[in-house]
């Protein structure tokens, strides 16, 4: 872990990463209810909101769309990723090098690690190469820290999420992105296990405005530094409204109720 408070992907010690790598990870099915969002420009447009500190995309989307938005958004290039047609033990192909991410303008890089998978050893070794190369460019490294594999029955168990944040700290991430472990207490333990490293909550599938904002409130109260979210923002008809509310919850520590009321 290195200090990243001065990095472009952090604002007042907090971070809101807008993720849009779902076309690879899940397929176009995630865009069925919002077909216009299949055009990546629409999500880049959303990422220009002040609450968003970076947009996380794969290389191809970064190459094609970031040049038109480089003055308005910070780029987090996700270096690995796999389709959900892959039926083996959790694993993720490296689709982009750190050198190339830096060349196309990345402000940070992201990497998924599936601890507990039969491919854990290779993934840790890949992460080592990515992390050490990122240090040469001063690029913060965000780990999608997702314990997953045939031996793991419940990937959001409190002890599993605390293990996920601790692994990220120990092997050199600057931010760990983890699933919400179900309660503020469990999230607090996961943040404590991470030491001074930042922890952000993963968004998950779309829920109601109130349910989502109150889960974010609970994570932030527990010590999380923010959010890495996709579907709960861009699958909404009005992403600006939810981002206004999330901005209040994350940066101003407003309650979910107050934040949503202010956006009505
Ligand atoms: P969401 O907020 O939509 O869950 O996006 C966060 C994210 O990590 C994406 O970067 C990724 O595509 C997706 O979730 C992976 O979800 P999962 O592996 O749980 O299906």
């Amino acid at each position: 872990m290195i200090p990243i408070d001065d990095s472009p992907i952090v604002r007042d010690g907090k971070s809101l990463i807008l993720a849009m790598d779902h076309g690879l990870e899940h397929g176009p099915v995630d865009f069925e209810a919002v077909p216009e969002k299949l055009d990546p420009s629409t999500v880049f447009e959303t990422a220009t909101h002040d609450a968003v500190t970076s947009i996380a995309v794969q290389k191809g989307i970064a190459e094609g769309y970031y040049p038109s938005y480089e003055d308005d958004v910070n780029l987090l290039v996700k270096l690995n990723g796999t389709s959900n047609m892959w039926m083996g033990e959790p694993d993720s192909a490296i689709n982009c090098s750190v050198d190339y991410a830096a060349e196309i303008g990345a402000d940070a890089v992201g990497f998924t690690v599936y601890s507990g998978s039969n491919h854990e050893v290779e993934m840790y070794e890949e992460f080592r190469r990515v992390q050490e190369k990122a240090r040469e460019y001063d690029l913060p490294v965000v780990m999608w820290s997702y314990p997953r594999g045939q031996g793991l029955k419940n990937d959001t168990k409190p002890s599993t999420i605390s293990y996920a944040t601790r692994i990220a700290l120990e092997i050199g991430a600057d931010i760990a992105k983890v699933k919400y472990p179900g309660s503020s207490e469990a999230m607090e333990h996961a943040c404590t296990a991470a030491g001074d490293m930042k922890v952000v909550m993963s968004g998950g599938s779309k829920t109601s405005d109130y349910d989502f904002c109150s889960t974010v409130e609970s994570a932030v109260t527990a010590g999380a530094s923010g959010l890495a979210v996709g579907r709960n923002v861009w699958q909404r008809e009005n992403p600006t409204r939810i981002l206004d509310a999330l901005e209040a919850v994350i940066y101003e520590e407003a309650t979910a109720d107050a934040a949503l009321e202010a956006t009505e």
Side-chain angles (χ1 to χ4, degrees):
M1 175 191 66
I2 52 169
I4 58 165
D5 278 346
D6 289 336
S7 126
I9 71 157
V10 177
R11 164 183 156 196
D12 300 335
K14 306 282 178 60
S15 208
L16 195 163
I17 299 164
L18 184 64
M20 205 261 297
D21 55 345
H22 302 65
L24 170 63
E25 296 284 341
H26 299 162
V29 66
D30 273 10
F31 300 84
E32 262 170 16
V34 282
E36 68 283 6
K37 302 294 171 66
L38 271 172
D39 174 356
S41 303
T42 61
V43 182
F44 270 86
E45 216 40 71
T46 298
T48 62
H49 190 289
D50 276 351
V52 177
T53 55
S54 65
I55 182 166
V57 292
Q58 288 279 334
K59 171 173 80 175
I61 303 277
E63 283 179 333
Y65 298 87
Y66 175 65
S68 306
Y69 289 90
E70 61 185 6
D71 294 333
D72 303 311
V73 305
N74 297 314
L75 178 66
L76 190 163
V77 176
K78 183 79 195 312
L79 301 176
N80 62 352
T82 311
S83 84
N84 72 2
M85 291 182 273
W86 167 254
M87 289 298 152
E89 264 287 280
D91 202 355
S92 198
I94 301 180
N95 306 312
C96 183
S97 66
V98 176
D99 288 323
Y100 192 66
E103 193 180 318
I104 60 178
D107 297 290
V109 292
F111 200 88
T112 297
V113 172
Y114 295 125
S115 294
S117 156
N118 289 348
H119 299 293
E120 175 186 293
V121 172
E122 294 87 338
M123 293 194 95
Y124 281 17
E125 288 173 359
E126 289 164 0
F127 182 78
R128 168 174 61 80
R129 287 190 281 275
V130 159
Q131 192 263 7
E132 292 177 3
K133 183 53 90 173
R135 291 290 179 255
E136 291 176 20
Y137 290 97
D138 256 341
L139 292 177
V141 179
V142 181
M143 184 195 287
W144 274 231
S145 190
Y146 285 180
R148 197 172 279 188
Q150 57 183 325
L152 258 158
K153 298 284 172 268
N154 178 354
D155 65 1
T156 56
K157 211 165 63 169
S159 58
T160 302
I161 299 304
S162 291
Y163 206 167
T165 61
R166 186 69 189 197
I167 289 165
L169 169 69
E170 300 221 3
I171 69 175
D174 303 309
I175 298 181
K177 167 183 187 308
V178 293
K179 302 211 170 204
Y180 184 67
S183 72
S184 199
E185 294 70 38
M187 194 67 181
E188 192 173 343
H189 188 258
C191 292
T192 304
D196 289 336
M197 187 196 60
K198 294 183 191 304
V199 174
V200 295
M201 187 192 101
S202 191
S205 53
K206 189 178 153 211
T207 54
S208 73
D209 289 358
Y210 180 75
D211 285 353
F212 187 58
C213 284
S214 59
T215 305
V216 176
E217 178 192 344
S218 147
V220 169
T221 307
S225 301
L227 195 58
V229 56
R231 292 164 286 178
N232 264 296
V233 169
W234 52 255
Q235 279 185 349
R236 281 182 155 69
E237 238 173 69
N238 185 353
T240 303
R241 177 170 184 251
I242 196 80
L243 284 173
D244 288 345
L246 291 172
E247 184 166 28
V249 171
I250 294 171
Y251 301 98
E252 294 147 30
E253 295 180 6
T255 62
D257 278 321
L260 284 168
E261 210 176 299
T263 63
E264 271 165 11

